[in-house]
Amino acid sequence: MAFAVVLEEQFKCCICLDIFTNPTTITCGHTFCLDCIEGFWDMKRKPECPLCKKTYRKRPKLSINLGYAEIIEFYKRSQGENLPPGSRTNSLPQLLEADEVPCAICCGDKSPSVKSCLTCLESYCELHLAPHLREAALQTHQLTDSDSFIASHLCRKHKKPLTMFCKSDQMPVCVKCTEREHKQHNFVLIEEERKRVKTSLRDTKASIKQMIHARWRKIEQIKNSVDLSKEITEREIQGSAKVCSLLITAIQRHQARLAEELEKKHQEAERRAEEMFQELQQEVHELQTRGIELKQLENTQSPVQLLQSFPSLNRLPSTRDWSDVTVYSDNCMGTVTRAFSKLVDICQDLSDKLSADEADKLNEYAVDVTLDPETASGWLVLSPDRKKVVVSSQNNNALLPDNPRRFNSCVCVLGKQTFASGRRYWVVQVGNKTDWDLGVTRESINRKGVISVRPEHGYWAICRRKGNSLTACAGPSVALHLQKTPQKVGVFLDYEEGSVSFYDAEAKTHIYTYSGCDFNEPLNPYFNPCVQDEGKNTAPLIICPLEERVREGQDITIESVMS
């Protein structure tokens, strides 16, 4: 009897839950009543198996499984049953409550579902849930409560599964939605969108992972930089203490030499004064003696003696003419000034030495700067490698596309590179040009018409005009009195520090520094070769190639300067 009950279950359609009528087997191997499977497919957009959910592009052509039908007929006769078509062995389904989810498989009056499948996106009553609990292929599907399935997987308006995704509105929709509210929209199967989102999700996770790793590396770099900064700072403190100590020693040594020299001058003045004093005393003594002799001759009574002695006594003793002899009490005139000038020369030599060491370290921040042709005035000609700019004899503005970034009046051009952080250094060969500008500018500067090269207008530059000395365009301008006009000018930008410094790249001496600058936007290198000035200023501005970087943290050697 138990075997008969189990066997009967194998002959029941999972849709109508009755013994097969006109059993039809589809290509996935599952069998249903012919009317049941056709009615099921009538409610679906795409034909699929109610059990394994295999979908078909086209609705398969159905035919009765005659062999299976004969077995069922034989089983019915063996059981002595005469069941009319459409009769049910189960009891009538109970009426659905308003908030209950109907079974997706039941035909006619639908039974309330007890579970929903997140894989099939369908809800099943207790009887139609049996295949999910029995068949191995369906046991891997994830089941959930029908209430939660309604909230997350059913359309609230049509109570249909959210099987489609509207790309126009970026939201899941059901089949009814695609036929009504979203009829003209672009939509895809929700599984297709899920795969796309999953791929995007994996890519995003990978990107986040890379970003996290990059930030950990940056954190490590910052920590290492802080540690290295501490070492360099301690070394610089020791170096500065050494410099100051040697400078103090040099000052003390020169002060001692100055005191010794002044003392020698005083002693020399005393010696000369003593010599003149003795000489004057000797002359006074000789004159006094002659006066006595003349007085005695005057008192003599002998005319013969008077006449004989007077010629020799009448001649005055040999003496110096003291009227032009001047004695100065200030014997130190100019000595202190000359000594101080020598000390200033030593300090200047020290400054040049320190500046040279600093200039060598600038190569650590060297960048490859090129010229941006989109910003170049029509008067300018750039070399193919964008490293050289020269002023031509004609204006080609009319032949160039209208570009808001281009200088249309002044013969200027900007560097292609943009700097919004860090330290940057580049060198420009100015040669013997009589006129030029170099520096950095804000990205938002005015490039049309006449421009004013001043910090308040976004320019930090130095210039040369008419072959004269260099000038810092600081507003008002600052004349730069240099011992030698540079042939190559180095430009050093420290964005965080807010400074722009200029150096003689060959002499390795400092020229000028803009400090305390407000860099609130990206900066570009700035070049202006200026007009030709009747052939006196035809040489180009040339961006020099990168030099080999020097060793970090070089020791400062100044003993030779102080000696």
Side-chain angles (χ1 to χ4, degrees):
M1 182 66 180
F3 174 75
V5 173
V6 173
L7 185 60
E8 182 177 340
E9 288 296 325
Q10 302 302 315
F11 294 148
K12 286 185 177 181
C13 173
C14 70
I15 298 177
C16 65
L17 301 181
D18 204 348
I19 294 178
F20 290 116
T21 301
N22 296 327
T24 301
T25 304
I26 59 179
T27 56
C28 63
H30 293 113
T31 304
F32 310 92
C33 298
L34 179 60
D35 293 338
C36 290
I37 189 63
E38 286 183 342
F40 180 79
W41 282 349
D42 288 341
M43 296 185 297
K44 296 291 182 180
R45 185 179 181 186
K46 285 188 176 182
E48 65 177 15
C49 175
L51 291 177
C52 66
K53 299 301 178 180
K54 178 180 179 180
T55 59
Y56 303 93
R57 292 184 179 179
K58 295 183 179 180
R59 189 162 178 166
K61 185 178 181 180
L62 300 177
S63 59
I64 299 174
N65 188 334
L66 298 178
Y68 205 12
E70 291 180 359
I71 294 174
I72 293 172
E73 187 63 28
F74 175 78
Y75 171 75
K76 288 180 179 179
R77 287 197 301 268
S78 66
Q79 296 297 315
E81 296 178 0
N82 187 15
L83 299 176
S87 64
R88 298 176 180 267
T89 59
N90 58 320
S91 58
L92 291 174
Q94 59 187 16
L95 295 176
L96 289 174
E97 297 293 337
D99 57 347
E100 288 181 329
V101 182
C103 175
I105 306 299
C106 290
C107 296
D109 294 331
K110 294 181 176 290
S111 300
S113 61
V114 294
K115 289 289 183 180
S116 299
C117 178
L118 297 179
T119 304
C120 302
L121 293 179
E122 298 286 8
S123 300
Y124 304 100
C125 64
E126 187 172 357
L127 290 174
H128 288 116
L129 182 65
H132 276 77
L133 304 177
R134 181 178 66 243
E135 298 190 16
L138 299 179
Q139 287 177 352
T140 59
H141 293 192
Q142 184 178 356
L143 301 177
T144 184
D145 292 334
S146 297
D147 292 339
S148 62
F149 182 77
I150 292 176
S152 59
H153 291 81
L154 285 187
C155 176
R156 295 186 176 182
K157 185 173 184 179
H158 304 111
K159 301 300 182 182
K160 295 290 183 180
L162 300 172
T163 57
M164 306 298 292
F165 183 81
C166 178
K167 299 182 72 174
S168 302
D169 293 336
Q170 290 293 300
M171 61 182 294
V173 295
C174 68
V175 175
K176 291 291 185 181
C177 292
T178 63
E179 298 171 351
R180 298 176 183 177
E181 294 87 348
H182 300 262
K183 185 175 181 179
Q184 303 298 328
H185 292 184
N186 182 21
F187 43 82
V188 295
L189 290 173
I190 200 167
E191 181 64 20
E192 180 180 337
E193 183 65 16
R194 184 190 72 85
K195 291 179 180 178
R196 189 194 67 80
V197 171
K198 281 278 189 179
T199 302
S200 177
L201 187 100
R202 285 192 295 268
D203 294 341
T204 303
K205 286 174 62 179
S207 299
I208 290 175
K209 188 176 181 180
Q210 291 178 357
M211 293 172 67
I212 291 173
H213 287 168
R215 278 149 183 77
W216 278 119
R217 288 195 299 270
K218 183 58 69 176
I219 289 173
E220 191 65 26
Q221 290 176 5
I222 293 173
K223 289 181 178 178
N224 293 337
S225 176
V226 171
D227 294 339
L228 182 59
S229 175
K230 184 177 181 181
E231 294 178 7
I232 294 175
T233 301
E234 292 176 351
R235 188 160 58 243
E236 291 293 333
I237 291 174
Q238 294 174 0
S240 63
K242 186 176 181 180
V243 170
C244 292
S245 177
L246 291 173
L247 186 58
I248 292 171
T249 301
I251 293 174
Q252 291 174 342
R253 184 165 61 247
H254 280 75
Q255 193 273 337
R257 290 176 182 174
L258 175 60
E260 183 180 354
E261 183 178 353
L262 293 174
E263 186 63 30
K264 285 182 179 180
K265 284 181 175 292
H266 174 66
Q267 292 176 359
E268 179 65 21
E270 285 186 336
R271 185 188 61 77
R272 291 196 304 270
E274 181 65 24
E275 290 177 351
M276 288 188 292
F277 180 71
Q278 292 177 359
E279 187 177 352
L280 287 168
Q281 282 185 328
Q282 180 65 32
E283 291 183 359
V284 168
H285 176 70
E286 291 177 355
L287 291 172
Q288 287 177 341
T289 301
R290 182 59 56 86
I292 293 172
E293 291 176 347
L294 290 174
K295 186 175 182 180
Q296 291 175 350
L297 183 62
E298 182 183 6
N299 294 329
T300 185
Q301 297 298 322
S302 173
V304 175
Q305 184 180 357
L306 176 65
L307 295 174
Q308 290 177 343
S309 300
F310 178 74
S312 60
L313 294 177
N314 189 47
R315 294 193 299 270
L316 294 175
S318 177
T319 59
R320 183 193 299 187
D321 183 6
W322 292 94
S323 61
D324 293 333
V325 177
T326 305
V327 179
Y328 297 103
S329 58
D330 186 4
N331 299 306
C332 304
M333 178 67 72
T335 304
V336 176
T337 302
R338 288 191 298 272
F340 184 75
S341 296
K342 187 175 181 181
L343 191 59
V344 169
D345 291 340
I346 292 175
C347 293
Q348 184 61 51
D349 292 341
L350 174 60
S351 176
D352 292 343
K353 173 61 179 174
L354 295 175
S355 182
D357 290 337
E358 181 179 342
D360 285 336
K361 292 181 181 180
L362 293 178
N363 289 322
E364 299 175 22
Y365 310 105
V367 291
D368 187 16
V369 172
T370 55
L371 302 172
D372 185 0
E374 293 189 1
T375 66
S377 165
W379 290 97
L380 299 180
V381 177
L382 308 185
S383 61
D385 61 356
R386 305 291 188 260
K387 292 286 187 178
K388 184 188 302 183
V389 56
V390 67
V391 179
S392 67
S393 57
Q394 60 182 4
N395 187 357
N396 295 318
N397 271 329
L399 304 178
L400 297 173
D402 186 17
N403 191 330
R405 300 176 61 237
R406 187 184 309 282
F407 292 91
N408 67 344
S409 179
C410 297
V411 288
C412 306
V413 61
L414 300 185
K416 183 73 173 178
Q417 291 67 31
T418 300
F419 308 125
S421 64
R423 297 173 176 175
R424 304 290 189 274
Y425 178 69
W426 60 94
V427 177
V428 181
Q429 178 178 322
V430 296
N432 294 318
K433 286 180 66 64
T434 59
D435 297 79
W436 50 263
D437 294 0
L438 289 177
V440 299
T441 69
R442 286 198 184 104
E443 201 173 36
S444 62
I445 56 168
N446 174 43
R447 310 174 191 210
K448 306 302 180 183
V450 178
I451 63 175
S452 179
V453 182
R454 294 287 185 272
E456 58 266 28
H457 297 140
Y459 293 82
W460 292 268
I462 63 173
C463 67
R464 189 183 189 190
R465 291 292 182 268
K466 301 297 182 181
N468 296 322
S469 299
L470 305 190
T471 301
C473 308
S477 300
V478 178
L480 305 175
H481 302 291
L482 307 178
Q483 294 180 350
K484 181 181 178 182
T485 303
Q487 297 285 303
K488 293 182 179 180
V489 176
V491 184
F492 177 62
L493 167 66
D494 191 335
Y495 196 95
E496 281 74 20
E497 187 70 20
S499 66
V500 182
S501 300
F502 300 87
Y503 293 85
D504 185 329
E506 291 181 322
K508 298 182 179 179
T509 55
H510 175 257
I511 297 176
Y512 186 78
T513 292
Y514 291 94
S515 58
C517 306
D518 183 17
F519 299 146
N520 52 15
E521 62 179 90
L523 304 176
N524 293 93
Y526 163 69
F527 307 85
N528 184 350
C530 295
V531 296
Q532 293 186 1
D533 191 19
E534 298 180 353
K536 300 176 184 178
N537 190 46
T538 57
L541 290 176
I542 303 173
I543 302 173
C544 299
L546 298 179
E547 296 184 9
E548 183 178 356
R549 297 191 174 190
V550 298
R551 177 174 61 86
E552 184 175 343
Q554 295 187 89
D555 294 331
I556 301 174
T557 305
I558 60 172
E559 287 83 350
S560 59
V561 177
M562 292 300 188
S563 61

